[in-house]
Amino acid sequence: MTIPALHQTGRARSRLLVRVQSLLDRAEAVFYLVVALFLLVAGVLVIAGTVGDLVSGLGEDPLLTVALNLVEESLLLVIVGELLFTLRLVLTGGVLSGEPFLLIGLVATVRRVVVVTAEVESYPDGGRELTNFLLELALLAALTIAFAVALYLLRRAPGLDLRTDSTSQPS
């Protein structure tokens, strides 16, 4: 093979790789858009269910139970919102950051703390159930501290500014 023929083969291979990469990028974007659509539907369903529970619970359940349910469902919406934000960052910037996942973990942990502490009144004064409750609460506290420390360290990492929105235009 001559040098020009090798050059032509290399150029054809390069064009094919560019086309394959473009096709894969589009397929990835479609997948992320489908996931975003599912998350939007889930968010709407959570809102609808929460409003329904709020309306039906106001007349039947104690006010504290209704309020705790509202807080729990609101935290679930924050989780869905953070996942949507993460997908938006991936679609617009092409970069997957760890910070949104740490925030989601932190919110999920706080949500579980709310649920667990709301259930404490149903536990007996002692025994295995109370021990399990205290153990779960201690593990949730440790997990909360671990998420907070990880977020702090990630934000302090040199060369990273994760607090700015990558979709905003420079002024």
Side-chain angles (χ1 to χ4, degrees):
M1 234 184 216
T2 64
I3 297 293
L6 282 175
H7 188 62
Q8 289 286 346
T9 305
R11 196 176 323 162
R13 181 178 294 163
S14 176
R15 277 185 274 156
L16 177 64
L17 287 175
V18 167
R19 287 182 186 155
V20 168
Q21 181 66 38
S22 176
L23 180 66
L24 289 175
D25 287 343
R26 287 187 199 131
E28 181 183 12
V30 168
F31 288 144
Y32 280 128
L33 287 172
V34 169
V35 171
L37 179 65
F38 288 160
L39 285 170
L40 283 171
V41 169
V44 169
L45 291 174
V46 168
I47 291 170
T50 303
V51 169
D53 290 347
L54 183 63
V55 170
S56 67
L58 280 177
E60 300 171 7
D61 296 332
L63 195 56
L64 181 61
T65 303
V66 173
L68 286 173
N69 186 40
L70 186 62
V71 168
E72 180 184 354
E73 297 304 317
S74 297
L75 290 172
L76 181 59
L77 280 173
V78 169
I79 292 170
V80 171
E82 276 295 321
L83 287 170
L84 282 169
F85 174 75
T86 303
L87 283 174
R88 185 175 62 108
L89 286 180
V90 169
L91 286 171
T92 58
V95 176
L96 187 60
S97 171
E99 184 177 15
F101 293 106
L102 292 172
L103 287 171
I104 290 166
L106 185 59
V107 171
T109 304
V110 169
R111 183 174 180 254
R112 183 65 188 156
V113 167
V114 168
V115 171
V116 167
T117 54
E119 296 172 349
V120 73
E121 292 178 4
S122 66
Y123 293 134
D125 290 336
R128 189 73 180 148
E129 285 185 28
L130 185 61
T131 303
N132 288 343
F133 162 76
L134 293 173
L135 182 61
E136 183 176 4
L137 204 56
L139 290 173
L140 288 169
L143 194 55
T144 301
I145 292 169
F147 279 130
V149 167
L151 275 167
Y152 174 78
L153 292 175
L154 190 61
R155 287 184 174 184
R156 300 248 335 176
L160 293 176
D161 188 7
L162 301 173
R163 286 164 276 174
T164 59
D165 187 0
S166 65
T167 61
S168 62
Q169 300 297 325
S171 32

